[in-house]
């Protein structure tokens, strides 16, 4: 009699449909074509260590298994999330034993989420990768440039896997329906929406297909009904992740480049990914000074006003205030001159240390300070024509030919007027 504990649980659809041959892999032709990196490896029958970097559900684990099988190598898989140094040592010991038994083909060690391992764990792999005891295949959703030790990263090629296109997902859906033995009862528009909801993640598509597999409605499911039956895949962009920083970078660069259409798109992507509106508003206020500056002094006012409006109204009605701020900054005349001038001034202050201001600029509230000559010779600018005395405000060591020229406005927007004023004052200061 079969025990309950011996009863085999049904395999998830994603596991049941996992390809066993490279010809069955969907997508990633930029790596798998005969003249591309992995295609050439398969043709030669020799694997080198590599890191698969790409979003979830793009076939990283599947490819690792296929590569090992196609090359006649043993395959060992560990998860960096679930395992530590003892598990790594066991896997490496198994690889050494495999080698000592005379297996010429060696072993593929697949480390899922390899970016989760610390430096010591990554370093422990190095000698075994170097002497060929294992061929390392690591999988990560994070940028290997930041997450992997330089020594380990230099011993493995980075293979960038791409999110699956809608056409790829459609092929996968057809395979899933063939495996189930029937088509899902979806209206054509709902079928298209299901593919969009997967957001390039093949595994998530199969999860949704499995959730819909027992549907038997009298009429095809509409897109609206679909959203009540399954949930859209959460947008990528968790704080601290590569995609989070990529979205922020694209957002700021679009505003800097005066592309309001793209800036609004990246704003929407940030909000969809869960970026807090207050964090976006903070960045917009930074951009008002960093990207627009004095070319349009109202930019900072607009950013502050939009932030205040959002705080007053809240979500969701306050979100268009973010769009208004993005629209203003993206279409404003740009200058980073005052931004650069500030950091040049910071460098100057660091270089020259604690120089006292000229005596005539220091108030003399005591008799001793008056006797020492503090404030002597100070000229009250409002007592002069045009409220300009032309006196010296820099320390003595930074006067004459050494006088810094920190702020250099551009011939754009409001700064055109600033240039005229600076020129007028400089002429009188030198006369």
């Amino acid at each position: 009699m079969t025990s309950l504990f011996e009863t085999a649980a049904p395999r998830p659809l994603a596991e049941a449909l996992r390809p066993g041959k490279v010809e069955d892999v969907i997508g990633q032709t930029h790596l798998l074509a005969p003249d591309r990196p992995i295609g050439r490896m398969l043709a030669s029958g020799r694997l080198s260590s590599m890191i698969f970097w790409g979003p979830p559900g793009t076939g990283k684990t599947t490819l690792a298994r296929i590569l090992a099988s196609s090359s006649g190598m043993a395959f060992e898989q560990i998860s960096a999330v679930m395992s530590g140094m003892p598990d790594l040592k066991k896997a490496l010991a198994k690889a050494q034993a495999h080698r000592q038994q005379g297996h010429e083909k060696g072993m593929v060690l697949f480390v899922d989420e390899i970016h989760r391992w610390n430096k010591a764990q990554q370093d422990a792999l190095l000698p075994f990768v170097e002497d060929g005891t294992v061929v390392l295949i690591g999988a990560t959703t994070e940028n290997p440039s930041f997450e992997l030790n330089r020594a380990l990263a230099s011993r493995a090629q980075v293979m960038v896997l791409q999110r699956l296109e809608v056409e790829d997902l459609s092929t996968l859906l057809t395979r899933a329906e063939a495996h189930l033995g029937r088509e899902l009862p979806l209206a054509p528009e709902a079928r298209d929406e299901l593919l969009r909801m997967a957001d390039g993640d093949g595994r998530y598509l199969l999860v949704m297909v499995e959730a819909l597999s027992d549907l038997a409605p009298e009429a095809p499911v509409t897109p609206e009904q679909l959203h009540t039956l399954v949930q859209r895949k959460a947008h990528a962009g968790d704080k601290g992740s590569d995609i989070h920083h990529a979205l922020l970078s694209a957002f700021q660069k679009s505003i800097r480049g005066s592309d309001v259409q793209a800036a609004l798109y990246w704003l929407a992507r940030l909000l969809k990914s869960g970026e807090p509106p207050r964090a976006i508003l903070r960045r917009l206020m930074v951009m008002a000074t960093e990207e627009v500056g004095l070319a349009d002094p109202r930019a900072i006012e607009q950013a502050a006003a939009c932030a205040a409006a959002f705080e007053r109204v809240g979500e969701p009605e306050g979100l268009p205030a973010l769009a208004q701020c993005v629209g203003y900054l993206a279409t404003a005349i740009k200058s980073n001159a005052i931004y650069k001038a500030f950091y040049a001034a910071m460098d100057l202050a660091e270089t020259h240390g604690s120089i006292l201001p000229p005596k005539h600029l220091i108030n003399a509230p005591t008799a001793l300070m008056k006797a020492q000559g503090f404030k002597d010779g100070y000229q009250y600018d409002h007592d002069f024509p045009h409220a300009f005395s032309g006196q010296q405000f820099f320390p003595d060591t930074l006067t004459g030919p050494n006088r810094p020229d920190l702020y250099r406005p551009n011939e754009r927007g409001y700064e055109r007027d600033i240039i005229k004023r600076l020129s007028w004052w400089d002429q009188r200061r030198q006369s």
Side-chain angles (χ1 to χ4, degrees), residues 177 182-192 212 215-229:
E177 290 175 323
R182 67 188 184 93
E183 290 188 1
L184 295 179
L186 302 174
E189 298 83 2
R191 191 179 182 87
D192 292 341
L212 297 169
L215 280 180
E218 296 179 358
V221 172
T222 66
E224 293 75 18
Q225 293 170 328
L226 181 64
H227 283 282
T228 67
L229 296 169

Side-chain angles (χ1 to χ4, degrees), residues 190-354:
R191 191 179 182 87
D192 292 341
E193 181 62 13
L194 182 69
L195 299 178
R196 283 193 291 270
M197 290 170 71
D199 196 20
D201 186 332
R203 182 169 54 243
Y204 193 74
L205 173 65
L206 295 179
V207 168
M208 291 191 291
V209 169
E210 204 158 21
L212 297 169
S213 61
D214 60 351
L215 280 180
E218 296 179 358
V221 172
T222 66
E224 293 75 18
Q225 293 170 328
L226 181 64
H227 283 282
T228 67
L229 296 169
V230 290
Q231 295 297 309
R232 178 185 293 274
K233 181 178 182 286
H235 283 256
D238 291 343
K239 196 168 182 64
S241 69
D242 290 331
I243 188 64
H244 167 82
H245 296 295
L247 291 176
L248 286 173
S249 178
F251 179 55
Q252 181 156 354
K253 287 181 172 64
S254 298
I255 289 178
R256 180 186 301 153
S258 301
D259 190 337
V260 65
Q261 321 297 348
L264 288 169
Y265 168 73
W266 294 119
L267 169 65
R269 285 286 305 276
L270 283 166
L271 291 170
K272 286 284 188 181
S273 72
E275 184 75 6
R278 289 179 180 84
I280 298 174
L281 284 163
R282 177 185 175 276
R283 182 166 287 262
L284 287 169
M285 284 190 274
V286 170
M287 282 189 268
T289 54
E290 186 174 329
E291 308 293 355
V292 179
L294 288 178
D296 186 346
R298 291 197 60 199
I300 188 65
E301 298 173 11
Q302 280 287 315
C306 289
F310 175 80
E311 292 298 334
R312 182 70 178 268
V313 178
E315 294 188 60
E317 293 88 347
L319 292 177
L322 279 71
Q324 178 167 326
C325 186
V326 167
Y328 191 95
L329 297 184
T331 57
I333 297 173
K334 310 292 191 299
S335 173
N336 68 345
I338 197 68
Y339 174 82
K340 291 167 62 178
F342 168 71
Y343 285 103
M346 293 290 284
D347 290 341
L348 188 67
E350 177 69 23
T351 300
H352 288 274
S354 304

Side-chain angles (χ1 to χ4, degrees), residues 356 358-360 362-364 368-376:
L356 280 176
K359 278 188 174 183
H360 68 274
I362 302 174
N363 291 333
L368 176 61
M369 293 185 71
K370 290 178 182 176
Q372 291 290 322
F374 288 100
K375 202 181 178 182
D376 283 356

Side-chain angles (χ1 to χ4, degrees), residues 292-297 333-342 344 404-426:
V292 179
L294 288 178
D296 186 346
I333 297 173
K334 310 292 191 299
S335 173
N336 68 345
I338 197 68
Y339 174 82
K340 291 167 62 178
F342 168 71
D405 187 18
L406 302 174
Y407 176 43
R408 300 176 181 178
N410 294 294
E411 282 276 5
R412 295 191 291 273
Y414 183 73
E415 283 193 324
R416 286 196 297 262
D417 293 331
I418 294 177
I419 289 175
K420 296 175 184 176
R421 297 178 200 171
L422 291 179
S423 176
W424 189 89
W425 286 324
D426 284 342

